[in-house]
Amino acid sequence: RVCAEWAARPGVQAAHPVVHPPWVPHDAYAAAPNDEFFRVPSSKEPGQWYLENRDPETGAELGVDVNIRPAWAVTRGEGITVAVADTGVQLDHLDLADQTGGAPHFNFANGTPDGSPFVRSALGAHGTSCAGLIAGTGNNRLGMSGVAPASRIASWVIWERGTPPSTLTRTITDERLGDMFRYAPDTVAVQNHSWGPSGARQRGPSVLEDAGIEDAWRDGRGGLGVVMVRGAGNERASHSRCDQGV
């Protein structure tokens, strides 16, 4: 009302109340989670140094990291489903159960919607380890925090036992791998592939695998394409280079 009265006075072109807008500061860093292994207790003890490599008391940098907390201030992976194409994931794991519920799990070896580990062994635990690095529940005072702790995990089993029955294991056929790459393209935004050939040289995809990959990046996410993450390998000590293909 006062502004209207002032606006009606001769020579006044406009009148507007001066107020304090209801803005609040947004911290550039998300709060550190309370997971027991997130912090690096000391340079001689394990911790998730790859996420934040700082002294927990002084904040001093201890080495390289991915500087995750500024990213968490923007997003923790909400609304994103990541498929872990591997040996299977322990779906009821205490640090993963919230992320695996209702996701499009599938075992491409036997054609069932079961993403559980295909064997109970160190090999069978590999997929669970990868899923934890990706989406382990953060801030639950348990274990560790994933890079994207609010994302969902779909477990895709791509390993099977060899035939005749033996202890040998192998990946599924390239035909089924092609089906895997194009699976659930409008639900899965990211595929994680922490597997590959052993040795110093990388093996490129077969024709059938390549067709599945093309379908995923062309048609996935409504035409935006599925993001595919591939491990560079574990053979650095033997001079393996991920840029050396066949």
Side-chain angles (χ1 to χ4, degrees):
R1 184 173 60 86
V2 174
C3 286
E5 292 177 355
W6 275 85
R9 294 186 178 186
V12 176
Q13 295 182 352
H16 190 279
V18 176
V19 299
H20 288 282
W23 305 130
V24 294
H26 285 180
D27 197 342
Y29 280 77
N34 57 24
D35 303 272
E36 57 184 318
F37 294 128
F38 176 76
R39 288 293 194 184
V40 181
S42 73
S43 59
K44 296 182 179 180
E45 296 183 37
Q48 290 192 270
W49 59 267
Y50 47 89
L51 295 186
E52 184 175 70
N53 201 1
R54 292 179 179 272
D55 186 298
E57 300 298 330
T58 67
E61 294 184 2
L62 299 177
V64 297
D65 59 34
V66 298
N67 200 23
I68 194 65
R69 287 171 62 193
W72 281 345
V74 178
T75 180
R76 297 174 186 263
E78 292 87 352
I80 299 298
T81 297
V82 181
V84 178
D86 214 288
T87 60
V89 174
Q90 183 184 336
L91 304 178
D92 61 352
H93 191 288
L94 292 178
D95 234 6
L96 290 170
D98 290 342
Q99 285 80 346
T100 58
H105 309 301
F106 203 80
N107 185 315
F108 289 89
N110 59 28
T112 64
D114 182 6
S116 302
F118 83 112
V119 290
R120 297 183 64 85
S121 66
L123 174 62
H126 187 266
T128 302
S129 299
C130 293
L133 291 170
I134 296 168
T137 302
N139 215 41
N140 65 348
R141 299 185 183 277
L142 176 68
M144 54 180 284
S145 174
V147 174
S151 62
R152 290 203 309 162
I153 291 291
S155 176
W156 292 355
V157 181
I158 61 168
W159 288 80
E160 62 183 2
R161 289 187 179 275
T163 54
S166 68
T167 58
L168 297 177
T169 58
R170 63 188 182 186
T171 58
I172 54 179
T173 65
D174 62 345
E175 178 184 19
R176 291 181 178 177
L177 285 173
D179 294 336
M180 177 270 297
F181 283 121
R182 61 169 65 91
Y183 190 73
D186 290 327
T187 301
V188 171
V190 181
Q191 295 179 18
N192 183 80
H193 301 284
S194 294
W195 51 274
S198 60
R201 296 181 67 85
Q202 296 289 316
R203 181 189 71 82
S206 70
V207 172
L208 296 176
E209 292 172 78
D210 196 50
I213 293 171
E214 182 177 357
D215 287 346
W217 64 254
R218 182 188 60 211
D219 302 326
R221 294 192 302 156
L224 295 175
V226 175
V227 177
M228 296 195 182
V229 180
R230 169 74 72 173
N234 299 328
E235 289 78 30
R236 180 179 179 181
S238 58
H239 307 291
S240 174
R241 290 176 50 176
C242 62
D243 62 341
Q244 293 178 331
V246 295

